[in-house]
Amino acid sequence: MLALQVLEKAVPVTKVANIEPKYLEEVIDGIVYAMGAPTMRHQRIAGNMYGFLMFQLMGHRCQPFIAPCDVLLFPQSAHPEDYVLEPDVFVVCDSAKVQERCYGAPDFILEVLSSSNPKHDLDTKFNLYQRAGVREYWIVDPEKQVFWRFRLNPQGVFEGGCMDARGSAAIEVLPGCAINFDQVFSLWNMR
C-alpha cells in the first residue's frame, strides 16, 4: 500500500464521490488523502474477516460492510464531510445510520494494518474512532500475526491491548460473533 498522499484540501464529500477510483480516499480534518490500492494479502485477510462476520450476522439486525464504503464519523457536526473514512471491515447495528454511506460511528471496526503506514491505523484512526464513539476497534497485523483489541469504556476511552492472532477471539459488542484467526490465515496458506 502506498503512503498517504494529500490530493486536495477542504473538498466536499460530493466531490470525493466523483474522484476517479484509482485510489481509495479518506478525508481527515478536511484534507483528502489518497491511499494506494491494498495488497492482495491485505484484501484476502479483510475479505476473510468480512466473510466470517457476514455468515455470523445473517438474519441479525447488525450489518457488516467491507471497504470501499464511506463512513462519515461526525454527521451532526458543522462540517460532516471533514471526516470521511474507509474502514477495511465494519459493522453497524443501527439501521438509521446505513444510507448511501454510513452516517455515524459503526459499532465495530476492523483494520488490517498497512506495513507502509501503520501510524495511520494505530494513531490517527485510533483517535478518530475513539472520539466518534466506535464501541470496539480491532487492528490486525498480518506480518506479526497479532491484533490489537480496543473497547470503549463508559468514559469514552479505548481500553485494550495487543494479543496473539491465534485461535478464536470474541467480538464483545457483537454477542455470538467471533473471528477464528487460524482459519482466516489458513484459508490462503498464510500460516
Side-chain angles (χ1 to χ4, degrees), residues 45-146:
I45 293 168
N48 290 346
M49 301 282 193
Y50 171 76
F52 276 103
L53 289 170
M54 193 170 88
F55 179 75
Q56 293 176 69
L57 292 171
M58 222 175 277
H60 194 279
R61 69 180 178 90
C62 299
Q63 301 174 54
F65 298 90
I66 190 167
C69 286
D70 290 346
V71 173
L72 280 78
L73 283 179
F74 307 105
Q76 304 305 321
S77 71
H79 302 283
E81 67 278 358
D82 282 355
Y83 295 94
V84 183
L85 280 85
E86 300 279 341
D88 291 324
V89 178
F90 62 97
V91 176
V92 179
C93 297
D94 179 356
S95 62
K97 291 181 181 180
V98 179
Q99 298 168 30
E100 292 297 314
R101 297 176 171 86
C102 175
Y103 290 89
D107 295 273
F108 172 75
I109 292 179
L110 183 144
E111 296 282 7
V112 179
L113 192 65
S114 166
S115 59
S116 67
N117 195 3
K119 185 177 177 0
H120 188 58
D121 292 328
L122 291 167
D123 294 334
T124 306
K125 286 187 170 186
F126 174 94
N127 291 318
L128 286 172
Y129 294 158
Q130 178 177 261
R131 192 171 111 207
V134 172
R135 295 171 50 212
E136 192 164 346
Y137 177 40
W138 289 17
I139 306 166
V140 177
D141 183 340
E143 298 301 319
K144 296 179 181 170
Q145 295 197 355
V146 297

